[in-house]
Amino acid sequence: MTIRKRVAAALCVSCLTWAQDIAPIRPQAPVIIRPYLAVRVPPARLANSERLSELVRAGMLYLTAQDAIALALENNIDIEVSRYNPFISQWQLERSQAGGALPGVPSGASQAGSVASGQGVAGSQAAAGVSNPGARSNGSSSNATVSQIGPVTQNLDPILQESSTFSHLSSPQPNEVQSGVFNLIQTTHVYTGSYQQGYLLGGIATVNYSEHYLGENASSDLLNPTVAPSVSVSLQQNLLRGFGIAANARTITVSRMNLNTTELNFKTQVVSVVTQVLNAYYNLAAEYEDLRAKTGASETAQRFVNDVKRQIEIGSVAPTDLIAAETTAASSAQAVVDSNVTLQQQEVSLKNLISRTGPADPVLANVRIIPIDSIAIPAADNLLPIDQMVRQALTNRSDLASELAGEKANEVNSLGTKNGILPTLDGFVTESAAGLAGIPGTVSVDGLTESGNKYFAGGIGTALGQVFRRNFPTESAGAFYSEPLRNRQAQADYSIDLLSLRQTQLTNRKDLNQVEVDVRNGVVALQQARARLDAAVKNRQLQQELFDAEEKRFRLGASTSYNVAVQQRDLISAQSTAVGAQVAYYTARVSLDQTLGITLEANHISMDEVKSGKIARISSPPANVHGQ
């Protein structure tokens, strides 16, 4: 098995873990026509997975944190877009293995009505360097120049070309001495074929075959009609610029490296989405807690208004005390409205993360998301020592691994620009053989009769026999040398490439150094969040006790409604602060996991499942949905 086939087989195996619903489908046809049939790519998957509709009950979407993650891994559009990148990288590798110049290079060739040198009147005129002013041009060719940094890799896929041309030409002859006619009529059949194969060392081998048939009305021809086949084998090798496997295979090497880089980037995208989902989910859970707290505070404020009214009726408090109580009740009611709006905004954010069709999806449009999991604060953080966490981050972070892989790819690419500094020196060797056959005729010139050589009597078989017996061989060898004076462009290209590589190396080193800073900052942020959470929880408890005591004193006539309103306001603020502190702690924990590169492990996420787009875990709403 060739190296290319082994690579292709390895790629097929690596594709098995990726989503087969989006995988390009190669054509199934006989091998002779298969390369010329287009690959089919399935339509984009725009529908959500069944898991989403299964979790909706009575207009409610009941979600655990793991359910939210599973929905995002199956439905998030950013992740779905990233699933295509490995397939793109595989096709880029396949194109690199084919070699060649940049895409979109036009070329043209024409041979209509051509004859072999020396064949017939036109061929003898061409061989003598004589042009006929009355002859018509039958074709033209042109090639575009492609500028590419470094040598262009030869076409590594074999190229087989064949063309056939049939023509009938009429050419006026101002001098009839050679042709014997004033209107030279030619019938030509031209068949050409070539096989070309490039190789990574920097050369190209070519086999050419041509056959020219000519029949004309010239009375001066000793052979008419004639057939002139030829076969040539040539080998051209770059000896300086463009020489060497390392320089010519650099795009293949980089494309192979990009396969791994693509998977690293995909993992980075998954980590980013999972982090967003966790933050959105627990922000939503916190908003529900905040809404419950503010709703309870509003109900308490309204009850207090009723208590003040009863106190006024019995004359134990002044009527002006009702103003403070009603002001507090109005503020509490407004806080409930504001909290509910914020909750709805958090719902929209989470819906957008777990659905391909966004909040406008008919299944989600009017659905309320009910988070089942509340924020759980561990008794202790149980963090590893800083140096161990830094090593953990350097080992697990896919974004850092991707940066280092990109640096190595740039180093490989620089081999091409370095090789491009060399002058051009090409060596070539050509071996060819020709044949000629036709029907001998008799020509009278100045009273003398001349007959065609019997050696050339015959048809294509006779001519091919001459070719393969090498009766008329031609060998040639030579070299082509070119050097740009001063060579500033190539020098500048390589210098720019190296300078950019040094910048990349320094940037990557900065990012690696930043890891320890990020880890330390993450630990400090988590510790600070825990301290604030402990203080907020304690303050909420104290404010609840102060409010309860102040309300009791009011009922006993030892306090005023204003004092109760102040205590209630402080209690509402303490409750919101405590909820915010819980969210801040969990956000710090999630951020630290992302910094350490353990987000997927901490949430029991399998990359193989993510690649396939189908998460194995089973989701189901709680048994008693009405009790939620």
Side-chain angles (χ1 to χ4, degrees):
M1 182 181 292
T2 64
I3 295 178
R4 188 175 300 177
K5 289 181 178 179
R6 282 197 291 267
V7 172
L11 291 179
C12 292
V13 172
S14 67
C15 288
L16 294 179
T17 56
W18 289 92
Q20 296 305 300
D21 293 340
I22 66 174
I25 302 172
R26 293 180 181 269
Q28 298 296 321
V31 66
I32 193 170
I33 65 171
R34 191 184 308 157
Y36 314 106
L37 299 178
V39 172
R40 186 173 69 86
V41 177
R45 300 184 297 186
L46 301 177
N48 290 312
S49 62
E50 296 179 356
R51 186 189 305 269
L52 184 59
S53 57
E54 291 173 352
L55 289 172
V56 176
R57 292 290 186 275
M60 300 292 183
L61 176 59
Y62 296 89
L63 286 183
T64 64
Q66 286 297 311
D67 288 337
I69 292 174
L71 286 171
L73 297 180
E74 291 177 345
N75 301 321
N76 185 267
I77 288 184
D78 290 335
I79 292 179
E80 184 72 358
V81 169
S82 297
R83 286 193 180 100
Y84 283 92
N85 291 334
F87 297 109
I88 295 174
S89 295
Q90 288 159 11
W91 284 105
Q92 287 174 338
L93 172 58
E94 191 157 330
R95 190 193 186 284
S96 299
Q97 290 172 332
L102 299 175
V105 183
S107 63
S110 176
Q111 56 175 25
S114 63
V115 296
S117 179
Q119 186 183 18
V121 175
S124 60
Q125 289 175 346
V130 178
S131 62
N132 186 349
R136 291 181 298 235
S137 174
N138 298 295
S140 62
S141 64
S142 63
N143 289 288
T145 300
V146 177
S147 178
Q148 178 174 325
I149 298 177
V152 177
T153 304
Q154 301 285 1
N155 284 315
L156 303 177
D157 280 354
I159 299 175
L160 182 64
Q161 293 182 343
E162 193 281 331
S163 61
S164 301
T165 304
F166 306 89
S167 61
H168 183 80
L169 307 175
S170 297
S171 301
Q173 303 294 303
N175 187 343
E176 301 179 27
V177 174
Q178 182 179 7
S179 63
V181 294
F182 71 91
N183 181 18
L184 180 63
I185 300 174
Q186 299 173 317
T187 300
T188 63
H189 306 162
V190 182
Y191 309 96
T192 63
S194 68
Y195 178 89
Q196 192 175 77
Q197 172 72 68
Y199 47 91
L200 285 175
L201 193 61
I204 187 169
T206 306
V207 178
N208 291 308
Y209 168 78
S210 67
E211 178 188 332
H212 295 75
Y213 168 87
L214 173 64
E216 56 187 3
N217 63 341
S219 59
S220 60
D221 287 344
L222 293 176
L223 296 174
N224 189 22
T226 57
V227 61
S230 66
V231 175
S232 67
V233 178
S234 63
L235 179 66
Q236 180 177 333
Q237 174 64 51
N238 298 326
L239 300 176
L240 290 176
R241 191 175 190 269
F243 175 80
I245 294 177
N248 289 288
R250 66 190 187 281
T251 56
I252 300 176
T253 304
V254 170
S255 295
R256 287 195 184 121
M257 296 171 66
N258 286 342
L259 284 174
N260 181 55
T261 303
T262 301
E263 293 212 19
L264 292 173
N265 292 337
F266 178 73
K267 183 178 180 181
T268 301
Q269 179 66 56
V270 172
V271 170
S272 175
V273 170
V274 170
T275 300
Q276 294 177 56
V277 170
L278 288 172
N279 287 334
Y281 180 88
Y282 284 107
N283 270 305
L284 179 60
E287 287 301 329
Y288 268 105
E289 290 188 15
D290 187 61
L291 178 61
R292 282 193 291 267
K294 289 179 178 177
T295 301
S298 178
E299 292 172 352
T300 301
Q302 188 58 49
R303 286 197 302 270
F304 182 68
V305 169
N306 297 333
D307 290 343
V308 172
K309 288 181 179 179
R310 285 194 295 269
Q311 294 286 348
I312 293 174
E313 291 175 357
I314 63 177
S316 60
V317 297
T320 54
D321 288 345
L322 181 60
I323 297 175
E326 289 181 339
T327 300
T328 302
S331 299
S332 300
Q334 182 61 47
V336 171
V337 173
D338 293 342
S339 181
N340 192 49
V341 170
T342 304
L343 186 148
Q344 293 178 21
Q345 292 173 338
Q346 292 293 341
E347 280 186 329
V348 170
S349 177
L350 184 55
K351 286 178 181 179
N352 194 47
L353 288 170
I354 64 176
S355 170
R356 293 186 189 180
T357 49
D361 185 285
V363 177
L364 288 177
N366 299 313
V367 166
R368 301 302 303 269
I369 299 179
I370 307 299
I372 297 175
D373 296 335
S374 58
I375 300 178
I377 306 299
D381 296 324
N382 298 323
L383 299 177
L384 296 173
I386 294 293
D387 58 339
Q388 294 186 28
M389 285 193 288
V390 171
R391 288 196 296 269
Q392 189 178 38
L394 294 175
T395 302
N396 296 332
R397 288 268 295 273
S398 55
D399 56 330
L400 298 177
S402 177
E403 289 181 3
L404 295 177
E407 178 183 323
K408 293 180 180 178
N410 289 341
E411 290 177 355
V412 173
N413 276 325
S414 67
L415 296 175
T417 50
K418 182 178 181 180
N419 183 270
I421 297 177
L422 299 174
T424 298
L425 175 61
D426 294 344
F428 61 88
V429 178
T430 302
E431 174 77 20
S432 64
L436 178 66
I439 299 176
T442 301
V443 178
S444 295
V445 180
D446 296 332
L448 299 177
T449 300
E450 183 176 354
S451 300
N453 193 322
K454 300 298 182 181
Y455 179 81
F456 296 103
I460 185 63
T462 302
L464 287 176
Q466 298 168 2
V467 169
F468 290 110
R469 288 193 303 270
R470 301 184 74 251
N471 295 123
F472 306 102
T474 299
E475 295 89 11
S476 62
F480 170 80
Y481 180 78
S482 172
E483 65 174 23
L485 298 180
R486 301 180 70 181
N487 203 25
R488 291 186 297 173
Q489 180 179 347
Q491 288 280 0
D493 287 338
Y494 184 54
S495 299
I496 293 170
D497 205 12
L498 276 186
L499 291 171
S500 298
L501 176 59
R502 297 297 180 262
Q503 286 182 323
T504 300
Q505 291 171 337
L506 290 171
T507 301
N508 291 347
R509 175 53 57 187
K510 177 184 176 183
D511 291 342
L512 292 176
N513 295 340
Q514 186 66 28
V515 170
E516 182 168 355
V517 176
D518 292 342
V519 170
R520 291 184 180 276
N521 287 340
V523 170
V524 171
L526 186 65
Q527 293 172 342
Q528 188 178 37
R530 175 173 285 278
R532 289 179 176 176
L533 175 61
D534 292 341
V537 171
K538 183 64 175 178
N539 184 52
R540 181 184 60 187
Q541 294 172 350
L542 295 175
Q543 289 297 334
Q544 183 68 52
E545 293 175 3
L546 289 174
F547 173 73
D548 293 341
E550 196 66 33
E551 190 177 31
K552 185 180 295 184
R553 292 176 59 194
F554 176 80
R555 290 195 182 96
L556 296 175
S559 181
T560 65
S561 61
Y562 174 79
N563 291 336
V564 175
V566 170
Q567 292 298 331
Q568 186 176 32
R569 181 193 61 195
D570 293 342
L571 174 59
I572 294 174
S573 176
Q575 289 172 335
S576 296
T577 301
V579 171
Q582 286 182 320
V583 174
Y585 174 85
Y586 192 81
T587 301
R589 177 75 259 188
V590 171
S591 178
L592 181 59
D593 287 346
Q594 187 176 15
T595 300
L596 298 177
I598 60 173
T599 299
L600 302 185
E601 291 78 2
N603 293 280
H604 313 292
I605 297 172
S606 166
M607 281 302 298
D608 287 340
E609 289 184 355
V610 178
K611 292 176 184 178
S612 68
K614 297 178 182 178
I615 308 302
R617 72 178 304 275
I618 299 174
S619 299
S620 59
N624 182 17
V625 295
H626 299 292
Q628 296 298 322

